[in-house]
Amino acid sequence: LAKTTQPISMDSYEGQEVNITCSHNNIATNDYITWYQQFPSQGPRFIIQGYKTKVTNEVASLFIPADRKSSTLSLPRVSLSDTAVYYCLVGDLTNDYKLSFGAGTTVTVRA
Amino acid sequence: GAVVSQHPSWVICKSGTSVKIECRSLDFQATTMFWYRQFPKQSLMLMATSNEGSKATYEQGVEKDKFLINHASLTLSTLTVTSAHPEDSSFYICSARAELQVNEKLFFGSGTQLSVL
């Protein structure tokens, strides 16, 4: 399983864009990159997933450089409700999808 | 996305009793489910992988006789904490692997807060 490294915490203000970078130097060829969001006392919630280049959905964008050794989750115009822990996970979708959670990034959005 | 229902949301029990937590995939079949535990301010720690119709695979350091996992059907996995003690108090989360969708394949339950008195 590829090990991931993320910043422990990030602070932002409402309306700003938040970018969280995750390092995964040992990512394997079949590994996908998935980001989850977790609020206190709740299970993680899927945000976005990608393999390479850029992926965008209604809540976030995911940027993956050509070497795939890192990825950046971009949250546009955050609100107070985006305060949560964000996890970057790397795993092989074609196999057992056994994911290992790192420490995550605690994002705090202030008014 | 697919829905994973976890029950109960919280449970308080006396030391020495057993507690069962259920994890159900509501609109898809899950051949594989995972169980995690999470302590306050910490990340999720994988405890075991539950496969339908076969024995669970436990991570190193997790007592299989302490944490009994049963995955008797394609939509239900249960985790039983046997003879619970205060140190077993934690937030337990399940996830289910869905093979139906292209992108999102792992769905999480809402978690169960266990408090052992």
Side-chain angles (χ1 to χ4, degrees):
Chain A
L1 298 170
K3 181 180 177 180
T4 60
T5 303
Q6 306 173 231
I8 296 297
S9 64
M10 297 182 72
D11 289 342
S12 183
Y13 291 92
E14 284 190 291
Q16 291 187 334
E17 179 182 80
V18 172
N19 296 306
I20 310 171
T21 296
C22 178
S23 297
H24 28 81
N25 291 318
N26 297 323
I27 189 169
T29 302
N30 292 333
D31 286 345
Y32 277 70
I33 301 156
T34 311
W35 285 81
Y36 286 87
Q37 174 192 56
Q38 186 183 27
F39 297 111
S41 299
Q42 294 187 28
R45 183 177 74 98
F46 173 88
I47 301 175
I48 198 167
Q49 185 177 80
Y51 183 81
K52 62 180 179 180
T53 62
K54 177 183 176 181
V55 180
T56 299
N57 61 21
E58 62 275 9
V59 297
S61 293
L62 178 60
F63 300 91
I64 306 170
D67 65 5
R68 303 201 326 124
K69 294 183 182 298
S70 66
S71 59
T72 299
L73 173 71
S74 180
L75 305 172
R77 299 179 299 280
V78 294
S79 63
L80 296 176
S81 62
D82 292 317
T83 294
V85 179
Y86 293 82
Y87 294 99
C88 162
L89 285 85
V90 175
D92 182 358
L93 277 175
T94 61
N95 289 326
D96 61 5
Y97 214 83
K98 181 175 162 180
L99 298 181
S100 176
F101 280 78
T105 298
T106 299
V107 173
T108 303
V109 181
R110 307 180 193 280
Chain B
V3 177
V4 173
S5 174
Q6 189 172 338
H7 179 81
S9 298
W10 57 270
V11 57
I12 302 173
C13 69
K14 292 182 179 180
S15 184
T17 61
S18 295
V19 174
K20 179 184 285 188
I21 302 170
E22 293 187 348
C23 181
R24 294 180 183 273
S25 56
L26 296 187
D27 49 3
F28 67 99
Q29 293 184 333
T31 55
T32 304
M33 291 186 175
F34 302 92
W35 287 95
Y36 305 80
R37 66 187 300 182
Q38 184 177 33
F39 293 107
K41 304 293 184 182
Q42 295 188 23
S43 185
L44 283 77
M45 183 190 77
L46 180 66
M47 298 175 65
T49 301
S50 171
N51 296 302
E52 186 268 336
S54 63
K55 291 184 178 180
T57 303
Y58 291 82
E59 295 301 301
Q60 189 174 5
V62 178
E63 300 176 58
K64 61 180 180 181
D65 295 329
K66 174 76 171 176
F67 300 99
L68 300 180
I69 292 173
N70 184 280
H71 194 156
S73 76
L74 286 171
T75 59
L76 173 64
S77 176
T78 61
L79 169 68
T80 301
V81 183
T82 62
S83 186
H85 291 285
E87 57 265 30
D88 298 322
S89 297
S90 185
F91 190 58
Y92 293 87
I93 307 170
C94 71
S95 68
R97 180 186 178 217
E99 301 180 15
L100 302 176
Q101 300 185 17
V102 176
N103 290 326
E104 187 180 352
K105 280 196 168 184
L106 199 62
F107 306 94
F108 287 83
S110 55
T112 298
Q113 182 64 53
L114 170 63
S115 296
V116 184
L117 304 179

